[in-house]
Amino acid sequence: ISGGSMSPPAGRGLCVMIYLLKGEIIEKLENSVVINVNGIGYRCIISSSSFDRLPDPGSDATIYTFFHITENSHTLYGFTNLDEKDTFEKLITVSGIGPKIAISILSSIRVEELIDRINQWNDIKYPNDKETRIIFTTLKPKGTVTTAPKVKE
């Protein structure tokens, strides 16, 4: 591609190569899952929250994906619901937060709790740690986080 970026933009419906995978769970590990879709096994990096919501191996599941392409790797990140995927995509817009850190954040806090905390920061003039300050100053002014989403199991 001449004169343009080769990185696909984040967001639903924008340059999405693999939107979701639907098939049988073959392997379920703490930070990844392998799903068989018509004879092809796809490994997705997942959060602890998604791990907890996934059925046991041998069961069918739907995993929403984010396909991250870099010069050195092509990585699928998987989510059991769109709220978690949307929050992941918002987190990676924050300077200094890439997919690995975003998955780590989503593994340490539920999406609803993260959004509640960001919304409560209205009364805080200056959050005390660097990561909190970066997330707060990036997401809150844009209006990207306004209410806690309803997670559908």
Side-chain angles (χ1 to χ4, degrees):
I1 300 175
S2 177
S5 170
M6 294 195 54
S7 300
R12 274 194 216 163
L14 300 175
C15 196
V16 177
M17 180 177 276
I18 302 171
Y19 182 73
L20 66 81
L21 300 170
K22 193 171 193 173
E24 179 186 355
I25 301 292
I26 301 300
E27 182 178 59
K28 180 181 166 185
L29 301 173
E30 187 175 326
N31 65 347
S32 69
V33 63
V34 176
I35 185 167
N36 178 355
V37 180
N38 295 323
I40 300 173
Y42 294 91
R43 180 177 301 277
C44 298
I45 306 300
I46 59 172
S47 70
S48 298
S49 300
S50 283
F51 174 85
D52 292 341
R53 288 189 297 268
L54 280 172
D56 292 330
S59 301
D60 286 343
T62 298
I63 298 175
Y64 299 95
T65 63
F66 180 87
F67 189 43
H68 184 67
I69 301 171
T70 66
E71 190 174 315
N72 298 321
S73 70
H74 295 153
T75 307
L76 269 177
Y77 291 87
F79 311 92
T80 54
N81 63 62
L82 289 172
D83 293 331
E84 186 179 33
K85 180 182 180 213
D86 289 345
T87 303
F88 171 88
E89 289 177 340
K90 289 173 186 170
L91 284 170
I92 63 173
T93 67
V94 176
S95 177
I97 296 181
K100 289 179 185 177
I101 293 174
I103 280 290
S104 178
I105 290 169
L106 293 173
S107 289
S108 65
I109 187 170
R110 289 183 4 256
V111 170
E112 301 85 1
E113 188 177 344
L114 175 63
I115 292 170
D116 285 344
R117 285 186 184 182
I118 291 172
N119 289 329
Q120 290 170 5
W121 291 335
N122 278 332
D123 299 330
I124 299 173
K125 290 184 181 181
Y126 199 67
N128 35 353
D129 65 72
K130 182 181 176 183
E131 292 79 14
T132 301
R133 188 168 52 253
I134 291 169
I135 292 170
F136 173 72
T137 57
T138 303
L139 296 182
K140 192 63 181 175
K142 292 180 180 178
T144 55
V145 179
T146 55
T147 60
K150 304 281 188 275
V151 176
K152 297 172 187 150
E153 298 295 329

